[in-house]
Every structure is written in C-alpha cells, then in structure tokens.
Amino acid sequence: MMRTRPLKVALLGCGVVGSEVARIMTTHADDLAARIGAPVELAGVAVRRPDKVRAGIPAELLTTDATALVKRGDIDVVVEVIGGIEPARTLITTAFEHGASVVSANKALLAQDGASLYAAAEQHGQDLYYEAAVAGAIPLIRPLRESLAGDKINRVMGIVNGTTNFILDKMDTSGAGYSEALDEATALGYAEADPTADVEAFDAAAKAAILAGIAFHTRVRLDDVYREGMTEVTAADFASAKQMGCTIKLLAICERAADGESVTARVHPAMIPLSHPLASVREAYNAVFVEAEAAGRLMFYGPGAGGSPTASAVLGDIVAVCRNRLNEATGPGESAYTQLPVSPMGDVVTRYHISLDVADKPGVLAQVATVFAEHGVSIDTVRQQGKDGEASLVVVTHRAPDAALSGTVEALRKLDTVRGVASIMRVEGE
Amino acid sequence: MMRTRPLKVALLGCGVVGSEVARIMTTHADDLAARIGAPVELAGVAVRRPDKVRAGIPAELLTTDATALVKRGDIDVVVEVIGGIEPARTLITTAFEHGASVVSANKALLAQDGASLYAAAEQHGQDLYYEAAVAGAIPLIRPLRESLAGDKINRVMGIVNGTTNFILDKMDTSGAGYSEALDEATALGYAEADPTADVEAFDAAAKAAILAGIAFHTRVRLDDVYREGMTEVTAADFASAKQMGCTIKLLAICERAADGESVTARVHPAMIPLSHPLASVREAYNAVFVEAEAAGRLMFYGPGAGGSPTASAVLGDIVAVCRNRLNEATGPGESAYTQLPVSPMGDVVTRYHISLDVADKPGVLAQVATVFAEHGVSIDTVRQQGKDGEASLVVVTHRAPDAALSGTVEALRKLDTVRGVASIMRVEGE
C-alpha cells in the first residue's frame, strides 16, 4: 500500500552529518520507501554557503533562508543538524507551528530547552525525536524511552564523549600526559580546534541531563548536572589507577537515590576497575551501562560520533516519524511525570581515591585516619610509601556522601603533616 | 489526559515469566499508567493448574480456558508466555480475530510461523510485538526494527543462548569437560533437565532466524538456519583456542553476502579472539554485535533469560502496544520486502582451525598443504608438534567458502599420513 505523495524532508545544516543524511536518503531511497510505506524525498536544504558544491544535492534544493524553508507548510519532517541554541530553537518551534515534525541531533538545545520543545511539539501535534543527540549511532534514547518503558531504571552510567575517551585511552596505553594526548586527538580530527566543550565536559553534561530526564521520567536541567572536566587528569593518576587494577574514564552518571525520592546527575573523571565492561571501551567509542530493576544490567556500545553513525541515528528517527505520520499518530512525548528533585553533588554517594604527600614520621597515619573518622568516612585501603623524610599516602575510601568526602579532603589539607594533596579521584563501578 | 477505561491485558501462562509480568503490572501500576497515558489492568490469566496459589494474583482472574479468555472481545493485549507451537499459535491468531494485539516471548513459534502471524495481525489491524523472544531483556528487536530502520545492516553476530554460554564459560575458566560443566549448569538452574534445545542450538537457531529476517528485511525460516550444537566441544579445543589467543563461543551469525544478493544464517561453536567484545561475555549473559553500513559496529549486552529480565522486555512491549491503541495506530509490521534468498552453509565464507594427528615423517606437511591448495584454501598458519613417531599439525586457514573447507577436511581424512582429524572449528570475529 504505497501512497503516491512522497513525504518531504527539510534539512537544516549540511555539514558532516547533514551531507551524510542527504547522501543516504538518495542512495537508499528505495529501501527507505519500503520501510516507511511511502517514498521520502529531500525537499530543501538550508545552508550558510549556497555556492559551495555539494555532491549529490541538486543546487535548486539549497537555500540560505532556513526560516522560509520550515514555514513552507508542505514539509513533513525538519531535520535540525545545525547545533547550538539559536537559530536552532526558533527554527524548531517554527517548524512545529507549520505542521512539521522534527528530528534533531542537538544535545545542547535539548538539555537546555527540552521541556519547552516537547511542549511545542505536543501543542501542534508533532513529533520530536533526537536519537542522534546522545551517543551517536548507538540506539539509546529509543531503548530507554520505549524498550524499558515497563521497567524502573535506577542507574545510567556511561562514556558519552568520544573525544575525551580517545584522549584518556591514549594516556592509558602510551603513558602520555594530557596535552600530548590532546595534540594527537586534534591531529587525528577527534578533537576540535577549541576542545573546551569536550574536555571541560559541557558536551557530556548535556547528554547526562537528557539521559537522566528520560531514565527517571523527570526534568533534569543542564544546571542540575555536576560537571568536572578531565584536563587535570595526569599520567600519575593513571599510574595510581593501574596500581589499583583500574583505569580512568570520563563518566556521565545518573542515579536514583536509594529511597527513590530524588535523582542525581554528574559528569567527572573516575577510576573504574579493569574488569568493568566500560573499562575496555577504547578510542573514540561510546558505551552506556543501564541498570534497571527487572532487566538487570544492560550495556549499549558503538561509535559515539562521526558523520555516518550520527546520520544512521537521524535516519532511524526520520523513518519513525514518517511511519507515525502515515498512521496519523505521534510517538511518545515527554514523560516527566515523576517530578523528582535533583540532589546536589554533596548528596551523591561515591568513593574517593586520595593521594597525599605527607611528612615521613610516626603518627601521621593516625592523624590522617582520625580526620576520616571525624567526617564519618570509612577507609577501605591505605598504601604508604616513604622516601627521604617525605612519604606518600594513598587512601581509598568506602562509599560515603560526596560532601563528607570533600570535607575530609579540606580538613586533611589543614594538617601540618600533610604537605599536599597530590590527587583526588572518585572511584566507580563496583 | 488520562482516559478512564483501563486497557486490559490477558496473560497466557503464569510460570517464571508470566508471574513476574503480573507482579510488575500490580506493583508498578501507577508508573505504567503514567507512561501509557491510561491505566492498564490484568483482566485474566490462563493457567493449567488454577488451584495453585499465586501470590498477588486474585483467584477470580485465573482460568483454564485460554481460548475463552482470548475470545472475550474486551481484551486489548494478549501476552503469550506459554511457549511451544500449539496451542500458542491458535491462541494468538484467535486473539487477533477478536480484536486484541499480542505480545509474545515465543521464539520457536516466531521462527517457524512469524510470517503467518504477522499476516494475521495485519489482517485484523493488530500489533505483534516480541522483544522478549530474542536475548531476553536486551533491547534488540526494537533497535533493529526501528533505530536502524534508516541504515543497512550487513551482519548480526551474537551470543543468544545463556545456558550454553554458561557451560562454555565454565569450560574455559575451569578447564572442565562438557559433561562436568553441563552438570554444574543444571545444578545451578541454568540448564533444563533436558538440555537438548539449548546445547543442540535449536533455541539459538530460532533466534538467528528471527534476527536475520528483521536485519535483512526478508524471510528466514528455521530450516534455513545451519545449526551445529556445542556438545562436542572439548577441553582440548579450549586449549587449542587459548594457544591462538582465542576462546570458544556458540555464535549465531547472520550475514548479507558481499554482493548483497543473498543472506546466510547459522549457529555453531566458533573460536573468537580474546580481544573481541563477545569474548568477554561471561556466565549466562547474552550479547549481540551488529554491523551496519552507516552506524558501524554496535553491541547490545545484558541478561538473556530469567523471569525478571524477560518480563522487562514483555512490559516494554505492553506499554508500546497500549500507546499504539490509544493512538488508534499500529507499530511497524513485518518488513520482508527484499525477499533475498538464503544461501546454504557451503556458501558461507569463514575460516577453519583444524587439528590433525599425522605420521611424524618428512613430506607430511607438503602433502597436507597440497590438499589445501587443491581445494583453493589458503593457509594462514601451521603449527607442528612431534612426539614418538606421531605428530600433530594445527592448521588455521584464511577465509574460504565453507564447502571448500569441508571438502579439504574430507580429502585430508583420506590421506594415509593423516591418522585422524582431532578437531575442526570455525574461527570468527576479526
């Protein structure tokens, strides 16, 4: 039952992802038509430089007027792959107003304004899909929103930024320092000229906000996510991690509190045991661990970025939205009915690995241990190494609230016998 | 917008999975209602022994008359967790005829009669969902059918049977033989009293047929799947695998031929390198690797069986079907438009690891190498070990059609200098 009027797709942005979406739509047109139940065609492409030659895209489809394109009224699906907040936000809401559904890969916008975009979509009876916004090609949003819709998710922990995983993997395998590994990532095209969004974890924090919201059926704003970049991870940290049978990853962690009454979301570097499946995620790959009450532990793994993988996720969404339109229906909208409060980082229960430079004299360990005890933090292991009147003390704690752990570190800094705190890192993934 | 009439679910079967579905529907009723947009209630449970006490299920819901239950006409979703071909098949088609959609966990039935069940669902405007039929709680069917609907899948390779993975993992880690490991699996409840369906790979073959059909948008019948069990894998095979830096897994492999004009599906034990992500799938876990043209390499990992994980998958489907009903729509039906032929095992291109007992005298290697060359099979490595006039020769081939490889083995058996073929195993996962 193939209807004759093709579904029309407008593309906003024709960079690495957009051009790949256009290419696949053209080369796989027959497959897409068979899977949707109707042909789908590229009806317009908004670009900044219309004079640039774009292989496979007829020049007459190109326009610099994105607003006019989304206002045309005959567009079924607007694909937004511009990124950033504006003009993407206005274009998306304008698309809804003019009867189009939207497929977006824009994590920053979704993390900041997801709720209002959902509201606009619902108001106009349109779909908002964004599988490509988190973890590239890895099917993650749909499994969380749909496959696990009958389960209770308690934890989402993952590597959601390929650039920083590439850098940390290089540091781990080659012993390189941060800047050296960053240079290699830049040279190979894994890091942008200005790597701030990646290495300071703004990108991962946006993804954490999106994942936490979906997993816990609540709203988590970007500002709710605790964020710590990975620029201060050193080769010495990796050496410490190795001694513990661990490696270091930049993790996005979304958790439901033990009492179920609040949630937390955070992004920071952390040591994880080499036996943990996330430890073996190499290079620029992404992987996300999901713990659900009935399903148990699931993991989703794949390329987290790149033109083709991201285009695959965008096209999956295009097919879904087109099928919905043929059904005269919409897919699942926002599910934020639980309205759980987001607790601050201090409430997160975690473990610390603390490396101290201390005076090499009797009684230091007792002093240090007393500080931990006073803050209610229980010590798991201590390793002491002396050299020439100086000594180092490596303490790994049991689980405790982050506030108690950071309070402990603050108090340790004030001890005369503690010369310095060489490194602090959280330990995850037991 | 909560409508007042609740959606009604009928449960066929109340064993390990069914009772868990019922429990979650009761304890998480509010969450399910919020996610669906309407309350959902258990309207009846067909069981064989109605007198058995079932915690949390009101006795008045129990019936032995499954046919009357699916014919009631007020049922929205029939959940079939009986298993086997009949009466499951007749009950499912009767459910469609009486206006109910169906969620099934029945891999054997779907592998055998998927096409006719889909046709019945479509004829009556109903949904057929079966996430739980393959790889338990792991979201796999939905990602393949929906997330990757805009991509071209070339290969699906996975561990889809938990029982056999548990046995092989035990053999690998403890050096145990097959029967010893099977005994442990039985004692721990991982293997059934009659383990035939698992160890002879009937279960995995059914899943391979389902996965191949979905991945390649074609029909693959159970009979099309090449099937080899794992009862003949020995401790010696594991020792050989270790020497090659490999382990042994029972793999389901579905491939599109290089020319794209045919597909293959097979299940057999195979050596895979320890560096391959599937090698580290331990105990009764499942994991499936998917290679798609644009998305690249994806992996899905999680518990492949058990009451709770399977119930999680069933409930995800119940939520999806209920949402569809509120939308007065149906989800994606069968997608078998490519109608690609399924090639026989002889056409599959793979590698062999062959261990031969040979006479320890000059010229044997030359003889053996000639046989490989005559069959057009190129040798990757040879390892020769002599002892007391006897020697062993371990040959690993390059990729070649399975027919050429098995023809080579047949010819080798006829050589006077070859005393016996100690083991043959395929090598996968480069």
Side-chain angles (χ1 to χ4, degrees):
Chain A
M1 231 174 23
M2 190 75 72
R3 66 173 205 175
T4 43
R5 182 180 89 73
L7 289 147
K8 292 187 179 175
V9 173
L11 202 50
L12 309 183
C14 197
V16 180
V17 177
S19 58
E20 188 64 7
V21 170
R23 187 190 67 75
I24 297 174
M25 282 188 63
T26 310
T27 54
H28 291 51
D30 291 346
D31 280 318
L32 292 170
R35 295 173 195 180
I36 290 167
V40 58
E41 68 173 34
L42 200 57
V45 183
V47 294
R48 269 182 302 189
R49 289 177 296 155
D51 46 331
K52 190 176 158 190
V53 175
R54 291 160 208 274
I57 302 179
E60 66 270 23
L61 292 185
L62 300 176
T63 172
T64 53
D65 192 346
T67 305
L69 181 58
V70 301
K71 280 186 174 174
R72 261 172 54 173
D74 66 334
I75 302 295
D76 293 283
V77 188
V78 168
V79 175
E80 184 271 303
V81 285
I82 307 173
I85 305 303
E86 284 294 353
R89 175 169 51 195
T90 303
L91 290 169
I92 288 174
T93 49
T94 307
F96 290 142
E97 287 160 13
H98 290 79
S101 285
V102 172
V103 173
S104 172
N106 193 331
K107 61 226 155 205
L109 178 57
L110 282 154
Q112 183 178 306
D113 285 321
S116 62
L117 294 180
Y118 265 126
E122 194 183 346
Q123 186 193 338
H124 297 285
Q126 301 299 330
D127 269 329
L128 172 64
Y129 276 60
Y130 50 90
E131 183 66 76
V134 182
I138 310 173
L140 187 61
I141 305 291
R142 184 175 277 101
L144 289 177
R145 276 177 27 145
E146 303 181 35
S147 306
L148 291 164
D151 206 334
K152 185 177 180 187
I153 298 172
N154 289 320
R155 197 154 193 256
V156 178
M157 175 163 94
I159 295 165
V160 294
N161 181 276
T163 305
T164 49
N165 199 58
F166 183 89
I167 296 171
L168 290 169
D169 185 29
K170 282 295 146 200
M171 292 176 71
D172 187 26
T173 50
S174 72
Y178 165 70
S179 9
E180 197 185 329
L182 172 62
D183 287 348
E184 188 177 345
T186 312
L188 291 170
Y190 286 115
E192 292 180 50
D194 176 0
T196 311
D198 293 319
V199 300
E200 295 296 353
F202 289 100
D203 173 87
K207 292 164 177 172
I210 295 171
L211 290 175
I214 294 173
F216 306 132
H217 299 271
T218 191
R219 280 187 191 152
V220 177
R221 293 169 309 123
L222 188 51
D223 292 347
D224 295 329
V225 181
Y226 173 81
R227 180 187 55 76
E228 209 176 281
M230 46 68 73
T231 58
E232 284 168 28
V233 176
T234 63
D237 291 328
F238 271 102
S240 296
K242 281 214 171 88
Q243 283 191 311
M244 283 183 64
C246 285
T247 187
I248 298 169
K249 295 291 186 187
L250 182 70
L251 297 179
I253 305 174
C254 312
E255 288 172 313
R256 191 189 290 278
D259 65 4
E261 299 302 314
S262 64
V263 300
T264 54
R266 54 190 163 120
V267 180
H268 55 72
M271 293 186 183
I272 52 167
L274 292 175
S275 58
H276 194 283
L278 290 177
S280 52
V281 176
R282 311 292 302 277
E283 304 196 320
Y285 274 84
N286 282 194
V288 177
F289 230 74
V290 177
E291 291 178 29
E293 202 174 83
R297 291 168 171 229
L298 306 170
M299 191 171 81
F300 304 81
Y301 167 95
S308 289
T310 309
S312 170
V314 166
L315 280 154
D317 281 352
I318 291 175
V319 170
V321 169
C322 288
R323 283 173 176 170
N324 289 344
R325 290 180 88 82
L326 293 181
N327 269 328
E328 296 178 354
T330 52
E334 187 186 25
S335 176
Y337 66 92
T338 64
Q339 299 182 31
L340 295 170
V342 184
S343 301
M345 186 63 196
D347 289 1
V348 166
V349 176
T350 179
R351 299 169 65 202
Y352 270 27
H353 173 282
I354 304 162
S355 180
L356 303 169
D357 294 326
V358 296
D360 189 10
K361 57 184 189 186
V364 173
L365 178 54
Q367 261 192 323
V368 166
T370 303
V371 170
F372 278 90
E374 283 169 356
H375 288 80
V377 174
S378 161
I379 292 176
D380 181 9
T381 61
V382 179
R383 201 172 62 239
Q384 203 166 183
Q385 284 178 316
K387 49 170 206 281
D388 311 330
E390 288 282 323
S392 76
L393 212 58
V394 175
V395 180
V396 180
T397 73
H398 282 297
R399 283 162 58 82
D402 200 79
L405 290 160
S406 60
T408 306
V409 173
E410 214 169 301
L412 288 172
R413 286 186 203 276
K414 289 179 187 150
L415 289 182
D416 285 346
T417 47
V418 172
R419 307 267 162 83
V421 179
S423 88
I424 310 164
M425 194 160 301
R426 295 182 186 88
V427 181
E428 302 288 338
E430 289 153 294
Chain B
M1 233 173 23
M2 190 76 73
R3 68 174 203 172
T4 43
R5 183 179 89 73
L7 289 146
K8 293 186 180 176
V9 173
L11 202 51
L12 309 183
C14 197
V16 179
V17 177
S19 59
E20 189 63 8
V21 170
R23 188 191 67 75
I24 297 174
M25 281 188 62
T26 310
T27 54
H28 291 49
D30 291 347
D31 280 317
L32 292 170
R35 295 174 194 179
I36 291 166
V40 58
E41 68 173 33
L42 199 56
V45 183
V47 293
R48 270 182 301 189
R49 288 177 297 154
D51 46 331
K52 190 176 159 193
V53 175
R54 292 161 208 272
I57 301 179
E60 65 269 23
L61 292 186
L62 299 177
T63 172
T64 52
D65 192 346
T67 304
L69 181 57
V70 301
K71 280 185 175 175
R72 261 172 56 173
D74 66 334
I75 302 295
D76 293 284
V77 188
V78 168
V79 175
E80 184 271 303
V81 283
I82 307 173
I85 304 303
E86 284 294 354
R89 176 170 49 195
T90 304
L91 290 169
I92 288 175
T93 49
T94 309
F96 290 142
E97 288 160 12
H98 289 80
S101 284
V102 172
V103 172
S104 172
N106 193 332
K107 61 226 154 208
L109 178 58
L110 283 153
Q112 185 179 303
D113 285 322
S116 63
L117 293 180
Y118 265 125
E122 195 183 346
Q123 185 193 337
H124 296 285
Q126 302 299 330
D127 269 329
L128 171 64
Y129 276 61
Y130 51 88
E131 182 67 77
V134 183
I138 310 173
L140 187 61
I141 305 291
R142 184 174 277 102
L144 290 178
R145 275 175 30 143
E146 303 182 34
S147 307
L148 290 164
D151 206 334
K152 184 177 181 186
I153 298 172
N154 289 320
R155 196 153 194 258
V156 177
M157 175 163 94
I159 295 164
V160 294
N161 180 276
T163 305
T164 48
N165 200 57
F166 183 89
I167 296 171
L168 290 170
D169 186 30
K170 282 296 146 199
M171 291 175 71
D172 187 26
T173 51
S174 72
Y178 166 70
S179 11
E180 198 185 328
L182 172 62
D183 287 346
E184 188 177 346
T186 311
L188 291 170
Y190 286 114
E192 291 179 50
D194 176 1
T196 310
D198 294 318
V199 301
E200 294 296 352
F202 290 100
D203 174 87
K207 292 164 178 172
I210 295 172
L211 290 176
I214 295 173
F216 306 133
H217 299 271
T218 191
R219 281 187 191 154
V220 177
R221 293 168 310 121
L222 187 50
D223 292 347
D224 295 328
V225 181
Y226 174 82
R227 180 188 55 76
E228 209 175 282
M230 44 68 74
T231 59
E232 284 169 28
V233 177
T234 62
D237 291 328
F238 271 102
S240 296
K242 281 213 171 86
Q243 283 191 310
M244 283 183 62
C246 286
T247 186
I248 299 169
K249 295 291 185 187
L250 181 71
L251 298 179
I253 305 174
C254 313
E255 289 173 312
R256 192 190 290 277
D259 65 4
E261 299 302 315
S262 63
V263 300
T264 54
R266 52 190 165 122
V267 180
H268 55 72
M271 294 187 183
I272 53 166
L274 293 174
S275 59
H276 195 284
L278 290 177
S280 52
V281 176
R282 311 292 302 276
E283 305 196 319
Y285 275 84
N286 282 194
V288 177
F289 229 71
V290 177
E291 291 179 29
E293 200 175 83
R297 292 169 169 227
L298 306 170
M299 190 173 80
F300 304 80
Y301 166 95
S308 289
T310 309
S312 171
V314 167
L315 280 155
D317 281 352
I318 291 176
V319 170
V321 170
C322 287
R323 283 174 176 169
N324 289 345
R325 290 180 87 82
L326 293 182
N327 269 328
E328 296 177 353
T330 52
E334 186 186 26
S335 176
Y337 66 91
T338 63
Q339 298 182 31
L340 294 171
V342 184
S343 302
M345 187 61 196
D347 289 1
V348 166
V349 176
T350 180
R351 298 170 65 202
Y352 270 28
H353 173 282
I354 304 162
S355 182
L356 304 169
D357 294 326
V358 296
D360 189 11
K361 56 183 187 186
V364 173
L365 178 55
Q367 261 194 323
V368 166
T370 303
V371 171
F372 278 90
E374 283 168 358
H375 288 81
V377 175
S378 160
I379 292 176
D380 181 10
T381 61
V382 180
R383 203 173 60 240
Q384 202 166 186
Q385 284 177 318
K387 48 171 208 284
D388 311 330
E390 288 282 322
S392 76
L393 211 56
V394 174
V395 181
V396 181
T397 73
H398 282 298
R399 284 162 58 82
D402 200 80
L405 289 160
S406 59
T408 307
V409 172
E410 215 170 302
L412 288 171
R413 286 187 203 274
K414 291 179 188 150
L415 289 183
D416 286 346
T417 48
V418 171
R419 308 266 162 84
V421 179
S423 89
I424 311 164
M425 195 161 302
R426 295 183 185 87
V427 182
E428 302 288 337
E430 288 153 296

